[in-house]
Amino acid sequence: MQTTSVKLYSLEYSEAKTYLAAALFLAGNIVLPQLFHTIRLGGPTWLPIYFFTLVGAYKYGWRAGLLTALASPVANALLFGMPAAAALPAIVLKSVLLAGAAGYAAARFRRALLALLAAVVLFYQAAGTLGEWALAGSFHAAVQDFRIGLPGMLLQIFGGWAFINFIIRK
């Protein structure tokens, strides 16, 4: 039996591939939220703006993930008015935490396992919730992702794992 592994990269800012990957994942982070926003509470429930940040940072490194994390919420806000300007700081914070955690986990463990993706999602959500609480001053608002965003977290873990391991395997 032959075993194959997923190739994970750590692209540098000096490489054109970094910007190409970030642009592709940015496009995904624009299209996916628009699809989910057609469903009532689709954004807060499914947390689609984080999906391709997770995939991009895990597969291509924290630099591609950071570019995606910073550009995605801003582009969506400018193009579609969502997320609202008031929500941008918390979403950017969580996106940056996600890019850093995913890039670190991929570089440290060199494999894409469900447990690792679950740890990445739990880390960025927990740390991001504390940051959002500090920014918003409302614990109730800060824990929204944990109250109604569990389907989105599961989508990130299982969908991200499938996307990394099967769709963009090489």
Side-chain angles (χ1 to χ4, degrees), residues 51-76:
F51 185 81
F52 286 107
T53 301
L54 169 66
V55 172
Y58 212 98
K59 179 72 177 178
Y60 294 102
W62 69 268
R63 290 170 189 88
L66 183 61
L67 291 171
T68 306
L70 293 171
S72 297
V74 174
N76 275 289

Side-chain angles (χ1 to χ4, degrees), residues 110-133:
R110 303 300 303 158
R111 48 178 61 132
L113 304 173
L114 283 172
L116 289 172
L117 290 168
V120 165
V121 169
L122 184 59
F123 167 78
Y124 97 84
Q125 281 293 341
T129 294
L130 293 175
E132 187 173 359
W133 186 13

Side-chain angles (χ1 to χ4, degrees), residues 5-11 17 21 25 51-65 98-99 101-107 110-112 117 160-170:
S5 62
V6 174
K7 291 184 181 187
L8 301 175
Y9 305 92
S10 184
L11 300 178
K17 280 183 179 181
F25 291 120
F51 185 81
F52 286 107
T53 301
L54 169 66
V55 172
Y58 212 98
K59 179 72 177 178
Y60 294 102
W62 69 268
R63 290 170 189 88
L98 173 57
Y104 173 79
R110 303 300 303 158
R111 48 178 61 132
L117 290 168
W161 176 82
F163 207 89
I164 293 164
N165 283 290
F166 299 110
I167 297 173
I168 55 172
R169 186 172 186 87
K170 302 239 177 209

